[in-house]
Amino acid sequence: MAQNDSRTATHVHSVTLVRHGRTAYNAAGRLQGQTDIPLDAAGMWQVERAGESLRRLYVDGEQGGRPHARQMVVSSDLIRAMQTAHAFADPLGVEVHPDPRVRERDFGEWEGRTLRELEERWPDDFAAWMAFQGGEMRHGAESKHDVGMRGTEAVNDWARRAGDDTDLFVFSHGAWISQTLQTLLGLDLVHPDFASLVSLRNAHWVRLIPMDLPDGVIRWRLAAFNQGPAAVEDGGWADPKLP
């Protein structure tokens, strides 16, 4: 998808979109949206493991990392994303830039309610939501299109703020990442229901690499999707044994 002109603007070497760790709302099956919920103990454990993996893979050079590259870190200003961002950035001594454009989708009056409660109280709207038919829109939810557009604006803005010696890391939320990614890749034009991607797991990430086309357009290409720390393979990721 056309993003900017490389003849007049520089851009980062890569973009990694990271979902926050687990919260008490996640554990209870409650819809969070823009409600400001901190990580629970399991979530803090998850983001520590994710931070370690991200630094090893993309900073220290184990998997496409460049040891002499700069890192730019941007986060949703909601606490669960900020905690996740700091778990990665603080050991590197890198500043975290909060940006409200990176906040989770607003789910209106459905926020704070469990999925079971939504299904029991509004069965038709819940079914329509689960079928990607917009049942949540009757309860004050932000449209997926609007989430994707503000997310794309934020990613492109930060991507243009530094040259190709920089890797951009954006710490955000499940719905935001899904809808932003589908907009960046142009999937929303093919499937406007935004049903093309599965949701990321907590403390997992997506990685994008820019491709400069001959006409000066930048096209974002998907290099990794729903990737997580090696600890995931050991089991117990949703409810780990805490040290």
Side-chain angles (χ1 to χ4, degrees):
M1 188 174 183
Q3 303 299 341
N4 59 50
D5 191 330
S6 64
R7 295 168 297 187
T8 60
T10 59
H11 58 78
V12 292
H13 174 263
S14 69
V15 176
T16 302
L17 309 178
V18 188
R19 187 186 178 197
H20 63 80
R22 199 186 81 168
T23 70
Y25 270 29
N26 289 144
R30 293 186 184 276
L31 199 57
Q32 292 180 110
Q34 295 189 3
T35 304
D36 206 3
I37 303 297
L39 300 178
D40 63 11
M44 290 301 299
W45 182 89
Q46 289 175 339
V47 302
E48 289 169 4
R49 303 291 80 73
E52 292 167 356
S53 293
L54 289 166
R55 291 190 297 273
R56 185 181 70 252
L57 293 173
Y58 305 129
V59 178
D60 298 337
E62 183 174 304
Q63 189 182 101
R66 299 169 302 133
H68 302 294
R70 296 175 60 246
Q71 293 80 41
M72 178 178 287
V73 178
V74 176
S75 176
S76 158
D77 57 352
L78 299 179
I79 188 171
R80 59 191 184 271
M82 290 290 287
Q83 290 174 303
T84 307
H86 279 287
F88 166 74
D90 288 358
L92 298 172
V94 174
E95 180 181 1
V96 176
H97 302 276
D99 187 339
R101 295 175 297 180
V102 184
R103 283 183 184 179
E104 177 61 299
R105 182 186 185 192
D106 185 344
F107 280 93
E109 68 172 330
W110 276 11
E111 291 189 10
R113 302 179 187 273
T114 65
L115 299 186
R116 180 182 296 275
E117 180 183 358
L118 295 178
E119 184 176 18
E120 291 175 350
R121 186 167 179 179
W122 298 286
D124 293 339
D125 292 344
F126 178 82
W129 175 46
M130 297 300 288
F132 298 92
Q133 295 172 355
E136 74 277 18
M137 298 303 295
R138 290 189 281 274
H139 301 274
E142 182 180 9
S143 75
K144 293 180 178 180
H145 173 267
D146 288 351
V147 176
M149 292 303 293
R150 67 173 165 88
T152 296
E153 176 188 319
V155 170
N156 285 330
D157 179 22
W158 287 103
R160 288 192 295 265
R161 296 193 187 193
D164 59 9
D165 63 336
T166 303
D167 293 303
L168 175 63
F169 295 83
V170 181
F171 291 80
S172 188
H173 310 265
W176 184 93
I177 291 174
S178 175
Q179 286 139 39
T180 295
L181 184 60
Q182 290 180 76
T183 304
L184 279 171
L185 298 179
L187 298 176
D188 61 317
L189 302 178
V190 180
H191 301 292
D193 58 4
F194 286 86
S196 297
L197 300 176
V198 298
S199 297
L200 293 189
R201 298 182 70 180
N202 287 117
H204 281 53
W205 59 85
V206 169
R207 190 165 173 85
L208 298 164
I209 304 296
M211 179 174 68
D212 295 310
L213 300 179
D215 60 359
V217 168
I218 295 170
R219 183 175 180 180
W220 292 106
R221 305 174 71 194
L222 188 62
F225 180 79
N226 216 5
Q227 187 167 347
V232 176
E233 305 303 324
D234 298 332
W237 183 245
D239 187 19
K241 294 181 179 179
L242 302 176

